[in-house]
Structures are given as structure tokens and as C-alpha cells.
Amino acid sequence: MRSMMLTQQRTQVKTHQSDPANRARLRWRARRGLLENDLILTRFLDAHEEELSDEDVDALTRLLDLADNPLMDLLLGRTEPEGEVDQPHVHALLARLRQA
């Protein structure tokens, strides 16, 4: 019985929505050095954080790994994603961020 419970605990994966620590960490990472980025990201999270899927969170995490100026260029539509950020779910999230 105990081994079955341990197996179930190991197989449970905490998603963004089910783990308040993950949500707080994402919101903290969204705070940026450039005010423009900070405003866009925090307003987006204020409006949409509770409905973000794990795929959306992955896309946002990829964007947050960028430096401030390249991120601002993407958010404002000056450039399009390249390299590791050039993923369909990142493009979808960017479209939503640009509308916010």
C-alpha cells in the first residue's frame, strides 16, 4: 500500500495552475528592467494568468529567458522569433501579448 502511494506521488506532475509557487515564480520573472516590458507582461498576467495552459507557460518562459531589448522587439512586433524561441506556441502567445 505504501509503495503504491509513493509511486502515485512520484507520477503526479505539478502544473503551473496547480502550484502556487510556480505561478509566483513566473510573475516574479515577468518583472523586467525595461518599464515597457514590465507593463506589457504584468498587465497580460493580470488579465490572463489563471487561464494560461502549461504550453502557454512554456512559451512565456522561453520569452522571459531573452534579454530585455530583444524581448521588447518581439513584443512590439519589430522582430519575429528565431532559434529556440521560434516555436508555434511562442508565436501564438506573442500574438496574444501584442493584443494586450
Side-chain angles (χ1 to χ4, degrees):
M1 177 75 166
R2 180 171 166 84
S3 65
M4 189 167 89
M5 287 176 51
L6 289 173
T7 303
Q8 287 176 340
Q9 288 175 349
R10 285 186 199 129
T11 60
Q12 290 178 347
V13 176
K14 288 190 173 184
T15 64
H16 170 72
Q17 294 301 336
S18 68
D19 187 354
N22 282 346
R23 293 175 68 175
R25 200 171 5 262
L26 183 69
R27 188 167 278 277
W28 179 254
R29 288 197 63 210
R31 298 186 64 187
R32 305 302 292 203
L34 288 176
L35 179 61
E36 295 86 351
N37 286 349
D38 192 42
L39 291 173
I40 292 169
L41 294 169
T42 55
R43 287 180 182 166
F44 178 80
L45 286 173
D46 288 345
H48 303 287
E49 181 180 13
E50 300 211 1
E51 65 195 45
L52 290 178
S53 68
D54 289 336
E55 191 171 71
D56 293 333
V57 172
D58 178 68
L60 186 55
T61 300
R62 289 173 187 268
L63 291 173
L64 294 176
D65 286 341
L66 299 172
D68 282 332
N69 288 326
L71 176 59
M72 184 171 61
D73 289 341
L74 286 172
L75 293 174
L76 297 179
R78 295 178 187 159
T79 60
E80 291 300 318
E82 298 175 348
E84 289 183 18
V85 183
D86 190 10
Q87 304 278 330
H89 63 293
V90 174
H91 284 273
L93 184 68
L94 268 175
R96 291 173 60 194
L97 282 162
R98 289 172 179 166
Q99 292 175 353

